[in-house]
Amino acid sequence: MIGRNEPCHCGSGRKYKSCCMAADRARGNTPTPAAKRPIAKRPAKPATREQRHAKAMSAFESQQFPRAQAMYEALLEDYPNDFAAAFYLAQIHTANGQIDDALTMAGRAAALSPKTADIRRYNAHLLALAVRDDEAIDELNAVLALTPNDGAACVQLASIYERRHELDTARSMVERAEANQADIVEVALMKSTLLMREKKYEEASAQLEGLNVDHADPAVASAYFKQIGGIQDKLKNYDQAFEALGRSAAHIQRAPRFLQIDTQHHQRLTENLRSVDFADVCRKASARSCSDGLPRLAFIVGFPRSGTTLTGQILNAHSEVRVTPELATLRDVHIKLANDRGLEYDRIGDAISTLTGSEIVALRAFYWERIRVYCGEIDPHQMLIDKMPLNIMLAPLINVLFPDARIITVIRDPRDVCISNYMQNFKINHFSVNLLTWSMTTAYYAMVMSLWRHHRLQLTMPVFELSYEAMAGDFETQARAMIEFLELPWSDDVLSYHEKAREQFINTPSYEAVTRKVNTSAVARWKRYAQHIADENDTLGPLIEAFGYDATADAMMSM
C-alpha cells in the first residue's frame, strides 16, 4: 500500500495524489486515512471498594439477593476483614432461611467490629432463633455494655427472658427499655405480653389503646394487630378478634422482608412431590440394612399448631429420649440433594425416587453431621427425636434415608389448626407468607395435609398418628401408646413433662402452653368463630371428614 508522502506509482515523481486513487482502490490497497485508524483504549480503572459496596447495596435494597450475595462474597474474598460485607451476607442468608450460614456471617461481622451495636444485636437475634438463648443474652449484655441506653437491646432481652419464663427479669428489661425511649409500640407489645401471662387481659388491652401504627415498621404494626386479636380472643370478643387479625395482613405485606420471599415455593414443591410415585423406592429402602451404629431415630411431624411442641415436650421428659428444637436439619439434606443433582430446591421429587445406595449413605452421614452442628454430640444410648412440623412434606425422603426410623404425626381438627395459625405472629418466612388471610391459611393447610394423605399410602416405615383431642381427653393412655410405639420402657416422668418444660427456652408459639398440664381448653376452639370461617368449609371439609371430625357439629354450642 502506498503512503500519502511516498512517490506516486504513475511515474510522475509527484507525491500520492487523487488522480491515482482509482487505481489503488481497484487493487484493494487504498490507504487508511489517519483519522480512521483505531485508537488504543486505556484500561479501565478497577472499581474501588466503596464503589463495589455501593453496587452491592443497590442490589440488596432492590431485593436482588443472588446478585448482592455474589458481590458481597467477592468483597469478602478480596477484603477478609470487611465486616459490612459479612453483616449483609448474614441478612441475605436469613432471608433465604439459611440460619446456620447467617449465624456464621453475623458472628464474623461481630468479631471484626465488636463495637458496632447493630451488628451485635442482629447476631443476638439469630442466636435466639437458633435456640441458643444463653449466647443471645451474653451478646445483648455486651451491646448494653457498649451503649447502656440501647432500648432495642432491652426489648430483645425482655422477649428472651419472657420465653424463659423469667418474668421479673423480663419486666425489669421492659422498664429499662421504656426509660431509654425504645420504640413505643414494641415496648407496649412487650408490656401487654407480660400482662397476658398474668391473665390480666383488660390491662393488656389498655396498653395498646390509642397507639398509632400507621407509620410504624410494617412488621411491628402487623404484630400489634395480632396482639390485639389474641387479647380480644381471651376477652371473648370474637368479632373484634377476627377483625384485628384481618388488619394485620395489610401491614405485613408492606414489609421489605415480605417482598423478599418467594410466596410460591411450597406450592411448587408440593406439586412436584405429588407428581412422583415413591412406593417402589420406599419398598426398596425398607429392605436395606441401616446398621451404622448411630442412635435410634424418630421424627415428630404435622401441620404447625397441631400439638407437635406438646408431643415433643412429653417425650423429652423420658430419660432415654432427646428431642431436638425445631431445626433445619432435614431441610439442609434437601438442599444438599438439590445442589448435588443441579436442581431447583422445589424440584427434588425425581431425585428422591432415584437415589443410589452411595447417595443414601452420603446423605445419612450428612444429616448426622448437621445434627452435631446444631445439637453437639448425641448420646448413642438415647433415641433422638427430630421435631420439625413441616418435615411432613418430606416424608418420602425420611422413608428413603431412614427406613429404620419412626414417624409420629400429630393430627388435630383442621379448623382449630387453621384458627391457631391465623392468630400467630410468625416471623416472615416461606411458611408464614401462606397464612396472611383466612382463605390463604385454609388453602395452605389443605395443600400440605392432602400431600401427607397421598404419601401416607406409599410409606413403608412405621407411622403413629396421634390425635391431639384424644391426648387432651385421655393423656396417659395416649402417652403410653406413643412410648410403646417407640419401643421404649414406660417412665412416669412423661406425666410431669410440664415441669421440665418450665426449665427450657422453647422457640415456638406453644412455649407457654406446654408449661401447663394438658387440658381440653383448646379443643373445638373453632366454634367461637363459626360465622367467620364458614366460607372456607368447602376447602377444609374433605380433611375434616378424612381425619374423623364432625363437620356438622352444632357450631352454637356453649364454650
Side-chain angles (χ1 to χ4, degrees):
M1 182 181 296
I2 298 174
R4 287 185 180 276
N5 295 318
E6 296 179 22
C8 181
H9 52 59
C10 68
S12 65
R14 291 176 293 184
K15 292 183 179 180
Y16 187 85
K17 55 187 178 181
S18 61
C19 66
C20 297
M21 282 186 179
D24 269 349
R25 287 194 185 98
R27 297 185 184 96
N29 60 358
T30 305
T32 303
K36 294 184 179 179
R37 291 172 187 163
I39 300 174
K41 293 183 178 180
R42 294 181 180 179
K45 290 184 178 180
T48 66
R49 185 173 174 179
E50 290 74 17
Q51 289 170 331
R52 292 170 68 182
H53 260 292
K55 288 182 178 180
M57 177 57 69
S58 176
F60 178 86
E61 290 181 339
S62 59
Q63 285 87 50
Q64 300 175 51
F65 290 118
R67 185 164 172 260
Q69 180 173 341
M71 290 178 176
Y72 283 126
E73 286 174 346
L75 273 164
L76 267 186
E77 185 174 348
D78 293 342
Y79 306 100
N81 293 331
D82 193 324
F83 66 87
F87 179 49
Y88 285 106
L89 275 173
Q91 295 178 65
I92 291 169
H93 287 310
T94 303
N96 293 333
Q98 299 161 336
I99 301 302
D100 192 42
D101 292 334
L103 270 169
T104 299
M105 282 296 137
R108 181 172 175 176
L112 290 169
S113 186
K115 294 186 178 181
T116 305
D118 286 348
I119 291 176
R120 302 291 294 270
R121 263 193 269 105
Y122 192 75
N123 193 35
H125 163 69
L126 292 174
L127 287 165
L129 282 181
V131 202
R132 293 162 58 178
D133 51 305
D134 286 335
E135 295 171 74
I137 289 171
D138 289 343
E139 192 75 341
L140 290 167
N141 282 329
V143 171
L144 289 175
L146 290 169
T147 54
N149 298 328
D150 194 321
C154 295
V155 172
Q156 281 183 259
L157 277 168
S159 178
I160 293 172
Y161 283 121
E162 188 266 330
R163 285 181 171 270
R164 284 166 59 120
H165 315 294
E166 298 177 30
L167 302 185
D168 288 340
T169 307
R171 290 187 193 96
S172 68
M173 296 312 305
V174 170
E175 291 171 3
R176 184 171 175 181
E178 196 168 25
N180 290 318
Q181 299 182 329
D183 182 276
I184 188 171
V185 179
E186 293 187 20
V187 170
L189 285 169
M190 199 66 243
K191 290 172 76 172
S192 71
T193 297
L194 290 168
L195 287 165
M196 288 182 73
R197 290 293 299 268
E198 299 178 69
K199 303 187 185 309
K200 297 178 179 179
Y201 304 123
E202 294 283 1
E203 292 180 47
S205 179
Q207 285 294 328
L208 304 182
E209 288 178 2
L211 293 179
N212 185 346
V213 297
D214 290 342
H215 303 292
D217 179 282
V220 174
S222 176
Y224 170 80
F225 284 108
K226 288 282 188 179
Q227 187 89 323
I228 289 176
I231 294 171
Q232 294 303 318
D233 176 77
K234 294 296 186 183
L235 292 172
K236 301 183 179 181
N237 298 324
Y238 304 125
D239 291 343
Q240 294 94 315
F242 209 80
E243 189 269 340
L245 297 174
R247 295 183 67 181
S248 172
H251 287 278
I252 203 63
Q253 291 178 81
R254 297 190 293 107
R257 179 75 180 91
F258 175 81
L259 301 175
Q260 300 160 9
I261 293 288
D262 177 0
T263 58
Q264 299 301 308
H265 171 72
H266 278 181
Q267 284 82 344
R268 292 194 303 271
L269 177 61
T270 300
E271 290 170 5
N272 178 257
L273 291 170
R274 184 147 195 156
S275 69
V276 179
D277 188 342
F278 297 104
D280 186 55
V281 68
C282 287
R283 281 194 299 270
K284 290 178 180 177
S286 65
R288 282 197 321 270
S289 171
C290 300
S291 56
D292 44 16
L294 293 167
R296 294 177 59 209
L297 182 64
F299 294 83
I300 297 175
V301 300
F303 201 88
R305 309 300 298 153
S306 292
T308 54
T309 299
L310 173 62
T311 305
Q313 290 302 311
I314 291 168
L315 294 174
N316 200 48
H318 196 293
S319 61
E320 295 183 26
V321 169
R322 179 173 178 180
V323 179
T324 71
E326 293 186 359
L327 303 175
T329 321
L330 198 67
R331 183 179 182 275
D332 292 344
V333 175
H334 168 185
I335 291 172
K336 176 175 171 54
L337 173 57
N339 289 341
D340 289 349
R341 291 288 190 94
L343 301 169
E344 296 294 330
Y345 299 157
D346 48 27
R347 295 286 186 271
I348 64 162
D350 286 330
I352 296 172
S353 67
T354 58
L355 280 171
T356 65
S358 59
E359 285 178 316
I360 290 170
V361 170
L363 290 173
R364 279 174 64 96
F366 178 74
Y367 172 86
W368 285 105
E369 287 174 13
R370 301 307 294 162
I371 285 289
R372 293 186 188 97
V373 167
Y374 289 123
C375 302
E377 288 300 320
I378 305 298
D379 185 342
H381 302 295
Q382 282 188 314
M383 169 176 274
L384 182 78
I385 300 183
D386 186 334
K387 182 191 82 76
M388 175 61 89
L390 283 181
N391 281 345
I392 195 170
M393 300 178 71
L394 296 173
L397 180 61
I398 295 174
N399 199 141
V400 173
L401 296 183
F402 307 105
D404 50 337
R406 292 167 181 256
I407 291 183
I408 294 175
T409 304
V410 187
I411 302 296
R412 185 182 179 190
D413 188 316
R415 294 158 293 193
D416 282 337
V417 175
C418 290
I419 283 288
S420 187
N421 276 283
Y422 188 43
M423 297 193 76
Q424 298 308 312
N425 181 38
F426 290 113
K427 300 293 183 184
I428 307 173
N429 55 37
H430 287 96
F431 158 69
S432 63
V433 294
N434 297 284
L435 307 171
L436 298 186
T437 66
W438 176 246
S439 61
M440 290 172 66
T441 302
T442 56
Y444 185 51
Y445 174 88
M447 181 185 75
V448 171
M449 296 310 290
S450 293
L451 180 68
W452 162 251
R453 294 193 68 236
H454 177 73
H455 284 160
R456 176 71 180 86
L457 301 174
Q458 301 173 7
L459 303 181
T460 56
M461 63 190 303
V463 175
F464 182 87
E465 287 197 344
L466 173 67
S467 162
Y468 173 86
E469 289 80 7
M471 183 164 56
D474 190 354
F475 170 52
E476 183 171 345
T477 298
Q478 296 302 314
R480 287 185 178 276
M482 274 197 297
I483 296 298
E484 182 178 350
F485 170 74
L486 296 174
E487 297 183 335
L488 293 167
W490 173 253
S491 170
D492 285 338
D493 290 344
V494 302
L495 301 179
S496 54
Y497 71 91
H498 53 287
E499 296 175 3
K500 186 174 181 179
R502 293 182 189 133
E503 303 168 2
Q504 301 178 54
F505 179 79
I506 299 170
N507 200 22
T508 77
S510 301
Y511 68 96
E512 193 268 331
V514 296
T515 63
R516 304 189 301 268
K517 289 184 178 181
V518 67
N519 58 72
T520 60
S521 62
V523 173
R525 184 184 185 188
W526 66 270
K527 294 177 181 177
R528 305 167 186 171
Y529 296 95
Q531 62 180 335
H532 297 284
I533 68 176
D535 290 345
E536 299 303 323
N537 283 348
D538 290 343
T539 303
L540 295 179
L543 290 165
I544 292 170
E545 182 179 352
F547 292 138
Y549 296 96
D550 186 359
T552 61
D554 180 6
M556 302 307 293
M557 70 174 287
S558 171
M559 295 302 297

